[in-house]
Every structure is written in C-alpha cells, then in structure tokens.
Amino acid sequence: SSPQLSSVPLQVLLYVNSIYYASYFAATLAMIVYKSQAFSYPDDFLAPDLTLLLLMALVEVLRLHLGSKGNLTEEEAPLGLSLALTVASVILAVYFLMWQTYVLRADVILNALLLLTYGLESVLKVMAIAAF
Amino acid sequence: VAKLCVCDLLVAQCDVNCCCDPDCSADDFSLFTTCSVPVVTGDSRLCSQKAAVYSLDVGADPPERIVELTERVNPSVFCIHAANYKEALFFPSPETPTSENFDQLLKQFGSPAFSAEPDSWNADAEHPSGGNETYRYEYGAPIQTADAFLRLPSPVVSSWCSDANPAAFLVSQATKCTRSVSTEECDSIPALSMLFYTNSSILAVPKSSQMVNITVHSITVQSPKGTRTLLKGSDVFRLPTLVDGLCINVVLGVSYRVTHTDTGEITAAAAAFVLGAIEKEALSIQQSFQITFTQVDTEPVPLSGNPGYVVGLPVRAGFRPQGYPFPAGSTNQHSQLTILQSTASPDCLAARGARTPVLFGYNTISGCKLRVSAEMKCQPLAQTLLDVLKGQSFPEYVASFGNSQGQDVLDWVPITHLHVSEQTMRDFSPLSCLIPVSLEIEVKWTRYGSLVNPQARIVNVTATLTSAALKRVPSGRERMIPVMSSVVFTDVSAPAEPGYKAWPSIGIRLPQDFFFPFL
C-alpha cells in the first residue's frame, strides 16, 4: 500500500480547531451582548464588531473545510488556499485581541489561544504541502 | 489619581477627616479620627488601575497620614483589558456653543426635553393629524381665541401688567397688576377700554372655527371715593373719555365668567367690568382681573371642602322642599347656618339682622342684651328673641361633607332641636313667661376615611334652645336680659381601625369529571 502522506496531527488540529471555534464564536457573541448592556456601546461601534465577527466565522468555516479537504485528498491547492485564508483569520483574531471596542480579559485569553492554534496549524500545513 | 480628592470641599482650608486634602498639614492630620475617603481609584471595571490608598496610623503618636500609590487588579475575567472607545468611561464634555454650531445645538437641546437619540422625540411629539380627531380643552390648556390666547393680564417679575399671560381652562385665577398710563392720552390706551377685553372671540374647542363672543355681563361704576354702583342696562359700551381733567370709564377690573360643558367645550363667556375715573395726570393705575369657570346647568356653589370640611369654611346647610317622593335637586336653596353676630351696640334689637355664617371648626360665642320694659307682652317678646337667636331662615339640614350635592339625600344631616327650660326653685308659677335666652348649636364631627388623609364629616347637629322665666319687671323700669348663642364643634371620631387586605387564597377547583369513570 502507498505510504500515507496526509498529516494526522494536522487533521486532529483542524478538528479541535473547529470545535474550539464554535465555542469561541458563541462566547464572543455573548460577550458582545454583555458589553452592550454593561457599558456604553453606541451603534457606530457595535456594528463593525459584529460584522467582523460574522466575517470571521465565514472565513473560518471555509478555511477549515479547505484545509481538511486538502489534507485528506493530499492536494496542495486547497491547502495553499487554506493557508492564505489563515492570514485573514490571524488579522481578524488580532483585531479582536487589540482593536475591538472593549477588550475584556476573557477576550484576551480566547484570542490568544486562537492565535496559538493558527500558528501551529500554519506550521503543520507548510510541512504537509512540502510532503505532497 | 494622587491629585483627585472627593472630600476636599473647602478651598484653601483643611476639611475634617479628609486625608487626601492638600490644604491639610501634619498637625491637622494628627487630629483626624478616620479617613472619610480611604481609596481613590480609577474605574474599577478596568483590569488594572492605579489607586491611592489613604490611611491613618493611629498607633504612632501623634497620628500621621499614610499615602500609598498601588496598582489594583480586578480579578474578574470580564474586566476591561483595553477600551478603544475613548468616551466609554468618562462623561463627555458638552460642546461650547460658537456661532457655527449654535443652530444645531439649539435644535438638539432647545426643547423642554431631549434625549440621547433626538429623533425618537420628534416622532412622539407629532400629534396624529386624523380628520375625526375631536379636540377639547383640558385642564390647564390655554384658552385660544381667534388670533392668540385669551389674555388675563397679570404681574410678571415686577408689578407691571403683562398682557401675555394666557388664561388656562378650569384654572380660576385672580390677579392684580399696575398699568402705566403716562405714555399717551388715557382714551387712546387700549388696555383701559372695555373693547380691549371683549373684542376677541374665544374658540369653543381648540383648533376649530366655532367662535364664542365675550358678552358684557354687568358694569359697575366706582366713584373716586370707592363706592360702587351697578349700572342698569349694561348693553352700551362705555369708552374712556376725558371730562374736566378726569378720565372716566377707565377699566379698573374685569371678571370673566366662562361657562363650559363637561366635555371640555366652552359655551359662553361673560365679562363683568368695574369702571372708574382717574385723573388726567395719573401715572399708573391698578387693575384687577379674575376668571372663574362654571359648568352648564349648574349653579356655582362654593364648596366647603372636597370631600371633608376644611377648617374655616362655612358649614353648608339647606332646606328640603316639601313633596314626596323627593323631586330631583332637592335640598337646594343653599342657605348657610348662621349665628347671631355681636356688634358694637349691645342692644339686640338695634343690631337685628347682623348674622355671621358658622365656620367649620371655629367655636364661637356671641350675645347681646335685650332691653325689657314692663309693657312688653310675653308672646311677642319670646318671638322676637327667637328671631334674634335663630335668624330669619334657620336651615333644617346640614351638609355632611363639604361637597355634598343637593340630590344626595343621604349626605345631609337633619338638625335636631332640643328645648330646655331653666326652672329656678323660686319660680313655681305656671303663668310666668318663658323666653328663650340661649341657643347652643353643637356640631359633632368625625374623621372619616383613611388614616393618612382623614376627612372631616359632620354626623350630628343639635340646636339646644334654653328658655328661662322672665321675672316680673317693675313698672316704669327696664331690665336688661342677656341673650347668648354659641356654636361648639366636637370631635367624636372613633379610634382608627387598621384595615388589612384579606390573605390571598389558593383557588383550586378540580374539574367535575376528574375521576371519571370512577365517580
């Protein structure tokens, strides 16, 4: 049988990432709702934050799907596209870490973990592309 | 944070127990007992903020103040790590008005109420302009006329008359103000002539075209000495004219009487004028204005309380017209309960007719002396005394509440009459003349209603007429008999009972066929 080139750690990480991101999305949305009640959060500042969160969700779903598909079919193109989308995700995560209207300590923790995951994923993806 | 001090209220002086006050010296600190402001921090929702902690070290002698600058860390996971929205945690400074932004600021803040979202107010302020909307006057709404509002001149700030005060619906007002007349000839000042107050016609309902003219109800002419005479035939308008250095027919007072329906529509308006004469060189005159409101088909009856009697207001009384069953509107003829009034001359007959109304809560006693000579017969004398004591029309019923209406029969209390005769031991002769010498009205009242706002209610009125035997008067001589009448108000309030609400009960009712088919 041909040696298996798909990276198992990458697949595991992608799976964990998807679960983590689902809870991250729910938690960030709940915290935005909390912030709008507890602090003064005018509409001009609330709209961009919510829009970027939704955009990040879309990008994440697409990225994880492409990454998983590329890894399992051992094709480089989807993996490369997923890597490019990771850059966008990193920028969005940095926004939620530093530039959103109110950054709570919980936000810092969640986004730091997410960035860590992205970093690990990128390394594994590069290794997988090199292997294919 | 080290410079902030909430308790530093006195400028350049040391505030007591204020440890952060920079005006305090070490000697002052040694006299403090505690620190009223122990910590001054920034917003506590931030994850880490600077704090200045003030404390007094009472162990040292003398006590000294300790200041520490520390970092306070908020342990909650939802503390604000960073806020990119600058105005989030501070109150915004208001904009300084300049010539550029003045119009915009006026539009935003110029109305009586404004909110953070100014657009939502505009939507509520617009009245729905429906075709079938019926407008009516509400309490306090300005009475509209063809051009503006019905004016009731009143003093504003100073005592000079201002014609810009609108009369409000159902708000009875009485004002006095000073009018300047030195500017022009007195017959060319509009505010001194009757036409000024009657030429505008009132709108029957707001925003309608139905007009109500102000008619002239009566004209009273006041002489320079102050006596007033009512003119008969008050149809003619009397305008101010100059006669011999005097300006006559000048309006000194106007009393508006507005008749309205119970749906807020004005049906009639009448003005009663007081005209007088002023000198040509007069600089100012005082005018008085009054407006009262009456509902159609009712007589304006001054209430003595609503509903309980108010101390100092007259006790309302009346008669019950004969006839059974009661016709509607019984117990009218609003007479008052009156008692004899003591006058300067002590002779009862000289001051006959001087009576004063009985005011609720005021115990009064009055009397006079009757001169009796030998020729006077007994019966007429007794009748005269009865007239003096009771007056011409002594009422039969007294209103239980200050606002009792004539048609509520149960709200009226009948006056009980008692006759007491004083018989002295020396007088056994049955032919001696019994004359009434004193009338004592005892009004029993109680507190009625809630404990917080008790209302005074009359429950019983008793008029006790005391008669005494008239001693024989030697012929040629006269005797003075003192006659007395008094009113006493007695409080017969029962002790207050607390009224508790019933305990709530759980109402459970099973359906009838719950145990079908067993039952």
Side-chain angles (χ1 to χ4, degrees), chain B residues 451 495-501:
Chain B
L451 207 57
E497 285 172 8
Y500 296 113
K501 282 170 83 160

Side-chain angles (χ1 to χ4, degrees), chain B residues 188-510:
Chain B
S188 55
I189 300 178
L192 295 179
S193 90
M194 284 170 61
L195 279 177
F196 181 72
Y197 300 100
T198 51
N199 63 356
S200 54
S201 39
I202 303 178
L203 301 179
V205 278
K207 296 194 184 67
S208 79
S209 52
Q210 215 178 335
M211 301 291 202
V212 171
N213 284 333
I214 304 181
T215 58
V216 175
H217 180 258
S218 65
I219 298 181
T220 312
V221 174
Q222 181 169 319
S223 78
K225 288 202 203 64
T227 52
R228 292 183 173 191
T229 42
L230 186 65
L231 284 190
K232 292 194 178 40
S234 51
D235 303 336
V236 179
F237 272 92
R238 297 175 141 240
L239 299 175
T241 42
L242 268 176
V243 168
D244 293 338
L246 274 185
C247 204
I248 61 170
N249 294 336
V250 164
V251 171
L252 293 180
V254 183
S255 175
Y256 290 103
R257 191 184 298 188
V258 177
T259 317
H260 65 96
T261 65
D262 54 355
T263 54
E265 193 185 317
I266 294 182
T267 52
F273 289 94
V274 173
L275 300 180
I278 58 168
E279 289 178 25
K280 197 165 131 204
E281 298 87 22
L283 295 175
S284 64
I285 59 164
Q286 195 178 44
Q287 294 182 313
S288 60
F289 300 94
Q290 196 188 359
I291 184 164
T292 50
F293 293 88
T294 325
Q295 199 165 323
V296 285
D297 299 332
T298 60
E299 283 291 320
V301 173
L303 296 179
S304 298
N306 193 22
Y309 272 102
V310 172
V311 168
L313 291 184
V315 172
R316 294 179 50 224
F319 297 88
R320 194 171 82 186
Q322 302 301 321
Y324 175 76
F326 288 125
S330 57
T331 328
N332 47 10
Q333 197 175 347
H334 301 275
S335 58
Q336 285 179 332
L337 193 61
T338 56
I339 74 165
L340 178 71
Q341 185 175 22
S342 303
T343 55
S345 80
D347 194 352
C348 292
L349 300 176
R352 195 188 296 202
R355 299 191 73 81
T356 175
V358 171
L359 302 177
F360 185 81
Y362 287 0
N363 299 341
T364 41
I365 187 167
S366 57
C368 58
K369 282 188 175 4
L370 185 69
R371 205 184 291 263
V372 177
S373 57
E375 303 85 40
M376 285 191 182
K377 298 267 189 292
C378 182
Q379 241 345 84
L381 187 62
Q383 191 56 41
T384 312
L385 275 176
L386 204 60
D387 277 342
V388 163
L389 280 172
K390 280 198 168 173
Q392 286 309 102
S393 58
F394 196 72
E396 295 167 10
Y397 286 84
V398 168
S400 175
F401 285 109
N403 65 348
S404 297
Q405 299 297 321
Q407 49 269 35
D408 303 322
V409 179
L410 294 173
D411 268 350
W412 294 79
V413 172
I415 298 183
T416 319
H417 288 86
L418 284 183
H419 288 285
V420 172
S421 58
E422 287 175 1
Q423 290 273 5
T424 56
M425 298 301 284
R426 283 175 278 170
D427 211 27
F428 292 106
S429 152
L431 296 174
S432 57
C433 186
L434 275 180
I435 51 166
V437 285
S438 105
L439 175 68
E440 209 185 277
I441 303 178
E442 191 184 1
V443 180
K444 292 201 175 81
W445 63 279
T446 169
R447 273 177 250 270
Y448 187 78
S450 76
L451 207 57
V452 175
N453 189 13
Q455 304 295 316
R457 177 190 189 173
I458 292 181
V459 284
N460 194 339
V461 178
T462 312
T464 310
L465 195 67
T466 311
S467 305
L470 175 64
K471 290 202 195 55
R472 192 164 290 283
V473 181
S475 63
R477 308 254 306 265
E478 284 184 337
R479 177 172 295 167
M480 304 284 276
I481 301 178
V483 160
M484 191 190 76
S485 75
S486 65
V487 178
V488 172
F489 286 87
T490 328
D491 183 358
V492 293
S493 307
E497 285 172 8
Y500 296 113
K501 282 170 83 160
W503 276 101
S505 59
I506 306 174
I508 304 179
R509 267 185 29 197
L510 291 173

Side-chain angles (χ1 to χ4, degrees), chain B residues 142-215:
Chain B
I143 298 177
Q144 297 178 0
T145 62
D147 45 358
F149 298 107
L150 182 67
R151 291 174 293 252
L152 197 74
S154 69
V156 185
V157 183
S158 65
S159 64
W160 295 110
C161 286
S162 154
D163 289 328
N165 180 38
F169 188 66
L170 287 186
V171 177
S172 303
Q173 277 181 301
T175 56
K176 273 199 181 67
C177 58
T178 319
R179 180 84 64 180
S180 163
V181 295
S182 57
T183 51
E184 297 159 5
E185 295 291 330
C186 73
D187 51 355
S188 55
I189 300 178
L192 295 179
S193 90
M194 284 170 61
L195 279 177
F196 181 72
Y197 300 100
T198 51
N199 63 356
S200 54
S201 39
I202 303 178
L203 301 179
V205 278
K207 296 194 184 67
S208 79
S209 52
Q210 215 178 335
M211 301 291 202
V212 171
N213 284 333
I214 304 181
T215 58

Side-chain angles (χ1 to χ4, degrees), chain A residues 31 34 38-42 45 98-109, chain B residues 45 47-48 73-89:
Chain A
M31 277 201 290
Y34 164 74
F39 311 128
S40 152
Y41 211 151
F45 292 86
M98 283 177 27
W99 301 321
Q100 69 169 322
T101 311
Y102 289 102
V103 182
L104 306 183
R105 189 176 282 161
D107 277 321
V108 170
I109 296 169
Chain B
R45 293 183 295 193
C47 286
S48 82
V73 174
N74 188 344
S76 156
V77 79
F78 295 117
C79 65
I80 300 178
H81 184 84
N84 292 311
Y85 172 42
K86 281 290 170 291
E87 297 94 342
L89 306 168

Side-chain angles (χ1 to χ4, degrees), chain B residues 117-128:
Chain B
E117 295 108 46
D119 295 332
S120 64
W121 276 108
N122 287 338
D124 294 335
E126 291 286 326
H127 286 296

